[in-house]
Amino acid sequence: MLRTCTLYRLSLPLRLPMRTAHGDIRDKQAILVQLKDDEGIEGWAECVALAEPTYTEECADSAWTVLVHHLLPRMARWLRAVGEDVDPRNACEAFRDVRGNRMSVAALEMAIWDWQAARKGQPLIELLGGGRDRVDVGVTLGMSESLDALIQSVETAVEQGFRRVKLKIEPGHDLAPLQAIRHRYPDLAIAADANGSYRAEHAHILQQLDVYNLEFIEQPLAEDDWFDLAELQATLRTPICLDESIRSVSELRLAARLGAARTLNVKPGRLGGFAATLQILAAAHEAGIATWVGGMYETGVGRLHGLMAASLPSMNHETDLGPSSRYFERDLLKEPIVFAEPGVIQVPRCCGVADWVDREAVRRFSTAIWSADLRTL
Ligand SMILES: [Mg+2]
């Protein structure tokens, strides 16, 4: 029986600040979940909510409150009701009456999967249905001060072996940088991510990006701008990839029916967990929508889980989840995530990630620690 849940609120310095359409990110604000059962077997997962509610409505502060006051009491009640019969595929039932808050839900759901893998002594990736041993990795680049600085960053990424460069774009910072990269690297896989920063009247700019032969343009318009997304996709040769727009199977079907996208950025930590991810992947496959796994600047704990999702056989593109050194001087793992060969990460076939976690580092970077007994919560 699961006995305790501990939450760690962490602030982990990023190696380089990341400039996005929503501003600079300098420290990774993270929440880790640690479950422990009667026998001391653990399950870990990460809540991927960012410091500010700018990517979705969730943020690290709201996630902490929701986890402590609303989700963990529900999970404790569900665990008592199912007894020994814990099936992670049904864990979302514990949160059935909760609206939204999918990043917070995902952290608990994925920790249950992680614990189940450890308890069964079965690699987590096998529990998820089995995946590839290795995944190809791309890099995300923020907006640079100058085109020279941008080309320098691309050059470094290409030298390190990254298989795709995804550039953050926004109105006024799009055509020139993408043209500069394409001119310098005629054959490089390039993509762009706008984080919803354009509006329908910018369609003529986005149409001009077609000549750069991008793998996709990610979330060009606001997440709920369905009709404009569909009209834009109809005028573009480049696939639109949806990220923030897709939170459920219903929204995936809506996108497919409207023709609002041809690609989906899958993030288990945003979609409500592994079970929700597997359902959305099945729906995407049925609708002919390509899929790949994007990153949330996760610490190593969340990145290991993301890499497992990225290794699922139905994925069509490189993942954004890179080696630890790309993000942090010091990750929260005993051994950092590294390239097995340039641009390729070997996906660990571990029975949950507990053995990877450096508890000393977790405590050192924690700004708050909260623990509860799940038998009485
Ligand atoms: Mg994105």
Side-chain angles (χ1 to χ4, degrees):
M1 287 281 278
L2 280 168
R3 198 176 61 192
T4 57
C5 176
T6 304
L7 300 181
Y8 300 88
R9 178 85 153 82
L10 299 112
S11 182
L12 193 60
L14 285 169
R15 211 165 65 78
L16 299 168
M18 179 86 180
R19 190 178 158 209
T20 72
H22 300 307
D24 282 6
I25 302 172
R26 290 175 188 281
D27 292 283
K28 170 65 191 170
Q29 300 296 312
I31 297 172
L32 293 187
V33 175
Q34 176 193 28
L35 303 178
K36 197 183 272 192
D37 70 12
D38 290 332
E39 296 164 46
I41 298 171
E42 296 180 359
W44 285 76
E46 178 167 344
C47 176
V48 301
L50 301 178
E52 297 288 329
T54 46
Y55 170 74
T56 67
E57 78 287 358
E58 288 181 272
C59 65
D61 290 331
S62 71
W64 182 272
T65 300
V66 168
L67 283 163
V68 169
H69 296 292
H70 305 286
L71 299 186
L72 276 164
R74 282 172 168 81
M75 190 177 92
R77 280 200 297 276
W78 178 75
L79 287 169
R80 287 196 290 272
V82 298
E84 293 294 318
D85 208 17
V86 178
D87 183 344
R89 285 171 299 185
N90 304 328
C92 58
E93 281 176 16
F95 317 110
R96 204 171 25 193
D97 64 334
V98 173
R99 297 280 166 267
N101 293 286
R102 288 177 176 81
M103 293 178 175
S104 310
V105 167
L108 298 184
E109 198 256 14
M110 292 164 77
I112 292 176
W113 280 92
D114 194 79
W115 165 74
Q116 186 80 328
R119 196 174 73 100
K120 290 188 160 183
Q122 195 178 358
L124 177 51
I125 185 60
E126 269 180 31
L127 273 188
L128 296 173
R132 292 179 280 230
D133 292 336
R134 291 164 166 244
V135 293
D136 286 348
V137 176
V139 70
T140 303
L141 297 179
M143 294 159 215
S144 299
E145 297 300 314
S146 67
L147 287 182
D148 284 347
L150 172 67
I151 291 298
Q152 184 60 52
S153 313
V154 176
E155 213 163 282
T156 306
V158 169
E159 277 166 14
Q160 289 169 341
F162 285 98
R163 305 283 167 109
R164 176 187 69 212
V165 167
K166 187 176 97 174
L167 184 68
K168 294 282 184 183
I169 60 170
E170 65 183 15
H173 183 273
D174 36 38
L175 296 169
L178 285 167
Q179 187 193 10
I181 301 175
R182 179 52 81 213
H183 180 72
R184 173 75 178 78
Y185 294 98
D187 301 319
L188 181 65
I190 306 174
D193 185 359
N195 288 108
S197 56
Y198 292 81
R199 289 195 299 278
E201 58 262 34
H202 294 119
H204 65 285
I205 298 170
L206 297 164
Q207 284 153 6
Q208 290 175 61
L209 299 181
D210 259 348
V211 298
Y212 302 125
N213 197 20
L214 303 180
E215 207 167 66
F216 51 78
I217 301 173
E218 185 170 333
Q219 200 66 52
L221 310 180
E223 61 186 44
D224 57 355
D225 203 354
W226 290 106
F227 296 115
D228 290 329
L229 280 165
E231 279 179 21
L232 179 63
Q233 179 65 93
T235 68
L236 291 180
R237 205 172 58 229
T238 309
I240 288 179
C241 171
L242 291 182
D243 179 3
E244 290 91 326
S245 287
I246 307 291
R247 294 164 298 185
S248 63
V249 168
S250 303
E251 284 170 337
L252 189 277
R253 290 205 181 112
L254 176 63
R257 179 72 67 88
L258 292 174
R262 295 184 201 140
T263 303
L264 170 66
N265 182 344
V266 178
K267 295 175 177 170
R270 179 176 74 66
L271 292 169
F274 284 129
T277 297
L278 294 173
Q279 286 162 14
I280 285 178
L281 283 175
H285 185 69
E286 199 178 311
I289 290 186
T291 52
W292 63 282
V293 173
M296 293 290 298
Y297 310 99
E298 294 95 331
T299 76
V301 173
R303 214 133 17 88
L304 286 172
H305 284 156
L307 286 165
M308 290 177 199
S311 79
L312 292 170
S314 58
M315 296 299 171
N316 306 95
H317 295 299
E318 303 84 351
T319 178
D320 269 352
L321 296 157
S324 299
S325 60
R326 175 82 205 154
Y327 312 91
F328 310 109
E329 291 294 347
R330 182 72 184 83
D331 204 343
L332 302 174
L333 304 176
K334 290 173 191 163
E335 297 289 334
I337 296 168
V338 295
F339 280 152
E341 59 181 274
V344 176
I345 292 180
Q346 175 110 28
V347 183
R349 297 184 60 76
C350 49
C351 306
V353 303
D355 288 344
W356 283 69
V357 178
D358 179 345
R359 285 102 206 286
E360 208 283 307
V362 170
R363 274 189 293 273
R364 180 149 37 107
F365 292 108
S366 285
T367 54
I369 300 175
W370 179 91
S371 207
D373 189 329
L374 293 167
R375 295 165 302 183
T376 55
L377 187 67

